[in-house]
């Protein structure tokens, strides 16, 4: 007969944390939220860490380039959705990698024979107001000048006016020589009161641009998640169908990590995908989703750099209703974390786990971490923000944003639910199309969430995520104690502020 688990499958809402002694080291300002994202060996450093334990979901309605930029600037990572053409996904990755860097390769370039109309069109296309003028119109040509909005007046200058007649010529530019450090470049910028410093070689060929605003931005975002070249980090979702074509394009675009996106990751298709990528590319790849020990061990042995946990726990996911598979998210995380720890003891290889789904309240993030997750993945949370790719819609006296699942008819991401064979379409939905309350800017909301996480960890006497996992104490709660935990037996006032 079938194997039957006697333990109840539980959710995060069925648990609370018991406070531990809060010491001087556990003040919110001292809490370290950095966490490993990919596997590493005992006594070695992890090659890819998150500065906050949060990544965004691999969804059309969540993770595009604008959200990836905003989240990386706050210390997290986005996995740009894969249910789009290879070219569009790779282009989104490129936009993130080019958005901010100490040394930026210029992607807004013209020649001296271009016109003001060309300048306006290029600015409209790229959003960049600084345009490099080179002899061949490329990012590596001989630098002849710069054009910024201070060099022309649209209301008075004719659109056919040549760039050479209004650009700031090279002879009047302050430039840096190739090989200088970022610190030296910033010193030149501040010393000459510049907004932009071109970096050229001995032959006057352009290599990079360094911007004052990037320095200011970094000071305002000290937890930015950057690669060794000071570029923002970004991930991308892939499937088990077109990975041989998709992965090369994403690697070429500069992606930092990949994640195989599937509602059920305990499959040979994920192993085949991992085998191919690991044999051909030096790139970190996560796999999933799984909900038990067996699923974790299968993907660990297959070579996954991290493993994602969760089936059916997302707010727009109806996999449990449609297929009757899944597990309460808390129970799934607890079992997989135990398997991960045993695997580490046995092999000396630590494989981080990501809790995907089931997060309703901010404190659920701390619960997931305390139960053993190294980081969490969220979709609904991020879909509410300005930076997500969906429309903001008026609803009553407020606004909402669209939010749909990858298993919905709207997304039609059949590859995420692929069971092999020749079938290439969806027979039924595993996700819904919905709205979420509009919440404003990502950075403002994430700051509140991180403050809550730090306050909770302070109460638990833990100054780091690893310490939280070792010392946290959790208790099950009853339905009546959940009611007791909120406002009750009072008449709430209408807020006047």
């Amino acid at each position: 007969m079938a194997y039957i688990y006697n333990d109840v499958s539980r959710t995060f809402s069925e648990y609370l944390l018991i406070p531990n002694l809060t010491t001087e080291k556990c003040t919110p300002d001292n809490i370290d939220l950095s966490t490993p994202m990919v596997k590493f060996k005992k006594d070695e450093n992890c090659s890819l860490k998150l500065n906050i334990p949060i990544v965004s979901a691999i969804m059309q309605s969540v993770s595009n380039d604008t959200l990836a930029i905003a989240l990386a600037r706050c210390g997290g990572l986005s996995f740009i959705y894969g249910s789009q053409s290879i070219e569009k996904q790779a282009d989104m990755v490129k936009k993130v990698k080019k958005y901010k860097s100490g040394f930026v390769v210029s992607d807004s370039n013209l020649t001296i024979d271009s016109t003001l109309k060309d300048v306006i069109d290029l600015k409209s296309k790229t959003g960049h107001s600084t345009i490099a003028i080179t002899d061949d119109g490329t990012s590596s040509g001989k630098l002849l000048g710069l054009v910024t909005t201070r060099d022309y007046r649209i209301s008075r200058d004719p659109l056919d006016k040549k760039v050479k007649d209004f650009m700031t010529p090279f002879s009047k530019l302050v430039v840096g020589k190739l090989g200088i450090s970022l610190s030296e470049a910033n010193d030149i910028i501040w010393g000459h009161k510049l907004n932009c410093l071109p970096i050229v070689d001995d032959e006057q060929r352009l290599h990079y641009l360094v911007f004052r605003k990037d320095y200011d931005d970094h000071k305002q975002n000290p937890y930015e998640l950057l690669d060794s070249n000071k570029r923002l980090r970004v991930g991308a979702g892939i499937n088990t169908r077109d990975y041989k074509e998709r992965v090369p394009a994403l690697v070429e675009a500069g992606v930092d990590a990949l994640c195989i996106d599937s509602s059920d990751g305990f499959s040979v298709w994920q192993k085949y995908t991992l085998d191919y990528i690991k044999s051909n590319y030096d790139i970190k790849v996560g796999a999933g989703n799984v909900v038990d020990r067996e699923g974790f061990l299968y993907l660990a042995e297959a070579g996954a750099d991290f493993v994602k946990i969760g089936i059916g726990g997302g707010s727009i996911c109806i996999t449990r209703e449609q297929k009757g598979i899944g597990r309460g998210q808390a129970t799934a995380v607890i079992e997989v974390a135990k398997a991960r720890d045993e695997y580490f003891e046995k092999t000396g290889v630590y494989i981080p786990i990501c809790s995907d789904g089931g997060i309703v309240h901010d404190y659920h993030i701390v619960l997931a971490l305390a139960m053993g997750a190294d980081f969490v993945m969220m979709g609904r949370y991020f879909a509410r923000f300005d930076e997500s790719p969906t429309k903001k819609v008026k609803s009553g006296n407020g606004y909402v944003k669209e939010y749909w699942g990858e298993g919905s008819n709207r997304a039609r991401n059949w590859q995420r639910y692929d069971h092999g064979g020749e079938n290439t379409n969806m027979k039924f939905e595993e996700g819904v199309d919905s709205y979420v309350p509009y919440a404003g800017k990502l950075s403002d909301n994430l700051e509140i969430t991180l403050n809550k996480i730090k306050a909770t960890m302070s109460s638990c006497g833990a100054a780091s995520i690893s310490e939280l996992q070792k010392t946290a104490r959790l208790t099950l709660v009853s339905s009546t104690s959940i009611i007791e935990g909120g406002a009750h037996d009072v008449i709430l006032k209408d807020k006047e502020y």
Side-chain angles (χ1 to χ4, degrees), residues 213-485:
K213 69 178 181 65
D214 287 346
Y215 177 86
D216 293 338
D217 283 350
H218 180 66
K219 291 301 180 182
Q220 294 171 10
N221 297 277
Y223 296 110
E224 279 183 322
L225 192 63
L226 305 175
D227 64 18
S228 59
N229 294 315
K230 304 297 184 181
R231 300 175 301 177
L232 295 177
R233 287 196 181 274
V234 62
I238 59 174
N239 60 64
T240 56
R241 282 279 181 164
D242 66 4
Y243 56 89
K244 292 182 180 180
E245 295 77 36
R246 190 173 293 270
V247 171
L250 294 172
V251 172
E252 175 68 22
V255 75
D256 293 285
L258 302 171
C259 185
I260 306 172
D261 187 30
S262 175
S263 67
D264 176 14
F266 194 2
S267 75
V268 294
W269 315 118
Q270 295 226 352
K271 183 181 186 303
Y272 297 157
T273 304
L274 287 165
D275 286 344
Y276 173 81
I277 296 174
K278 291 297 182 178
S279 297
N280 293 279
Y281 299 95
D282 181 20
I283 188 73
K284 303 301 182 182
V285 191
N289 285 16
V290 299
V291 293
D292 64 356
R293 172 189 178 85
E294 289 74 17
F296 168 81
L297 292 175
Y298 181 81
L299 295 179
E301 291 297 325
D305 289 295
F306 65 88
V307 175
K308 201 145 64 75
I309 307 164
I311 295 178
S315 59
I316 41 69
C317 185
I318 55 173
T319 294
R320 296 180 193 175
E321 292 180 8
Q322 296 286 61
K323 293 169 63 177
I325 66 169
R327 201 175 199 184
Q329 190 67 8
T331 300
V333 170
I334 290 169
E335 179 171 321
V336 173
K338 183 178 180 181
R340 185 270 317 280
D341 292 344
E342 291 174 352
Y343 187 85
F344 179 51
E345 286 296 320
K346 179 180 178 181
T347 66
V349 177
Y350 187 90
I351 301 179
I353 55 177
C354 169
S355 176
D356 176 19
I359 303 290
V360 179
H361 305 291
D362 288 342
Y363 78 89
H364 286 174
I365 298 173
V366 187
L367 282 170
L369 298 174
M371 291 172 181
D374 296 280
F375 56 103
V376 301
M377 176 176 281
M378 297 187 290
R380 179 192 60 83
Y381 179 90
F382 289 109
R384 304 173 299 147
F385 303 145
D386 288 322
E387 294 85 353
S388 75
T390 62
K391 295 178 182 178
K392 184 171 71 172
V393 180
K394 181 74 172 177
S395 177
N397 294 325
Y399 288 91
V400 295
K401 292 203 74 177
E402 296 178 306
Y403 179 47
W404 60 91
E406 289 296 291
S408 67
N409 282 330
R410 180 171 184 174
R412 302 208 65 78
N413 183 7
W414 64 268
Q415 295 95 332
R416 189 177 195 273
Y417 305 88
D418 184 25
H419 288 146
E422 299 301 319
N423 178 43
T424 59
N425 55 27
M426 289 176 56
K427 299 298 183 182
F428 56 89
E429 287 187 291
E430 291 190 44
V432 299
D433 198 348
S434 65
Y435 294 106
V436 289
Y438 168 67
K441 287 178 60 178
L442 180 148
S443 58
D444 293 342
N445 287 274
L446 187 57
E447 182 180 7
I448 294 172
T449 295
L450 295 176
N451 284 333
K452 289 182 182 179
I453 292 172
K454 290 179 179 181
T456 304
M457 289 176 62
S458 294
S459 293
C460 292
S464 67
I465 293 172
S466 60
E467 186 176 0
L468 178 73
Q469 292 170 341
K470 294 173 184 176
T471 63
R473 297 183 296 159
L474 289 82
T475 181
L476 284 167
V477 297
S478 66
S479 58
T480 52
S481 67
I482 293 174
I483 296 173
E484 180 186 60

Side-chain angles (χ1 to χ4, degrees), residues 17-88:
L17 289 150
I18 301 295
N20 286 328
L21 175 65
T22 301
T23 63
E24 294 89 343
K25 72 171 185 176
C26 297
T27 61
D29 289 342
N30 291 331
I31 301 297
D32 179 10
L33 293 181
S34 64
T35 188
M37 201 189 91
V38 297
K39 68 182 177 184
F40 59 95
K41 294 181 180 179
K42 189 175 182 179
D43 299 325
E44 291 185 359
N45 294 324
C46 178
S47 62
L48 177 51
K49 286 186 174 183
L50 298 168
N51 291 332
I52 62 171
I54 295 172
V55 300
S56 66
I58 309 169
M59 300 175 70
Q60 293 176 9
S61 55
V62 177
S63 295
N64 66 343
D65 53 296
T66 55
L67 190 124
I69 289 168
L71 181 53
R73 293 179 72 193
C74 294
L77 186 85
S78 287
F79 286 92
I80 290 177
Y81 69 94
S83 51
Q84 60 178 322
S85 72
I86 295 172
E87 294 73 21
K88 288 183 178 179

Side-chain angles (χ1 to χ4, degrees), residues 151-218:
D151 293 312
Y152 57 87
R153 290 186 294 180
I154 297 177
S155 60
R156 296 192 180 186
D157 292 328
L159 292 178
D160 61 354
K161 187 175 183 178
K162 296 289 187 179
V163 163
K164 62 184 177 183
D165 295 328
F166 62 88
M167 71 180 187
T168 301
F170 182 82
S171 61
K172 294 185 178 180
L173 293 176
V174 177
V175 300
K177 289 297 184 180
L178 183 65
I180 69 171
S181 68
L182 182 59
S183 177
E184 291 169 333
N186 282 319
D187 286 343
I188 295 174
I189 287 174
W190 283 93
H192 290 82
K193 300 180 180 180
L194 305 174
N195 288 321
C196 174
L197 178 71
I199 306 297
V200 300
D201 61 21
D202 292 335
E203 297 178 350
Q204 201 174 310
R205 293 195 172 276
L206 177 65
H207 284 259
Y208 305 106
L209 299 175
V210 179
F211 292 93
R212 173 191 289 263
K213 69 178 181 65
D214 287 346
Y215 177 86
D216 293 338
D217 283 350
H218 180 66

